[in-house]
Amino acid sequence: MSTLRTGQQSQEPLDLIRFQLDEFVLVKLRGAREMKGRLQGYDSHCNMVLSEAQEFIFNETDSEPIVKKTEMVFVRGDSVILVSPTTE
């Protein structure tokens, strides 16, 4: 795994996700889906647990995505494309 060096500190790429624990994140997924929620945990495979989650399902025929809400969800890491901080 590559290591980033910033000043005196070295960081692993997953450290950027660690800084977002208990914060709201946007997770872009394969299959034209996105998840927003509070990051409760993750592992080295980018499996994630989100609370207060919303799933956005996009399709070509509708201009607005389908939105599903859930209290807690497990996101499998092999479907994760991007993780970004976001507001609630």
Side-chain angles (χ1 to χ4, degrees):
M1 184 175 289
S2 68
T3 302
L4 304 171
R5 298 213 181 265
T6 56
Q8 299 286 358
Q9 244 179 358
S10 67
Q11 296 178 349
E12 298 295 324
L14 288 178
D15 286 344
L16 298 173
I17 296 174
R18 182 173 51 88
F19 296 142
Q20 298 305 313
L21 280 172
D22 206 33
E23 300 291 335
F24 279 90
V25 294
L26 170 68
V27 182
K28 290 199 176 206
L29 304 168
R30 287 193 218 176
R33 294 175 183 249
E34 295 180 1
M35 299 286 301
K36 268 189 188 178
R38 188 178 299 272
L39 181 63
Q40 298 297 317
Y42 70 99
D43 66 12
S44 62
H45 302 285
C46 279
N47 294 321
M48 297 180 184
V49 176
L50 301 176
S51 64
E52 304 173 47
Q54 293 181 316
E55 179 180 14
F56 300 90
I57 304 168
F58 299 91
N59 61 43
E60 296 174 9
T61 57
D62 296 331
S63 60
E64 293 294 317
I66 299 167
V67 180
K68 296 180 180 179
K69 295 182 180 183
T70 185
E71 288 297 314
M72 191 78 67
V73 67
F74 174 85
V75 180
R76 186 169 168 160
D78 67 349
S79 63
V80 173
I81 296 172
L82 174 138
V83 180
S84 176
T86 188
T87 58
E88 205 173 321

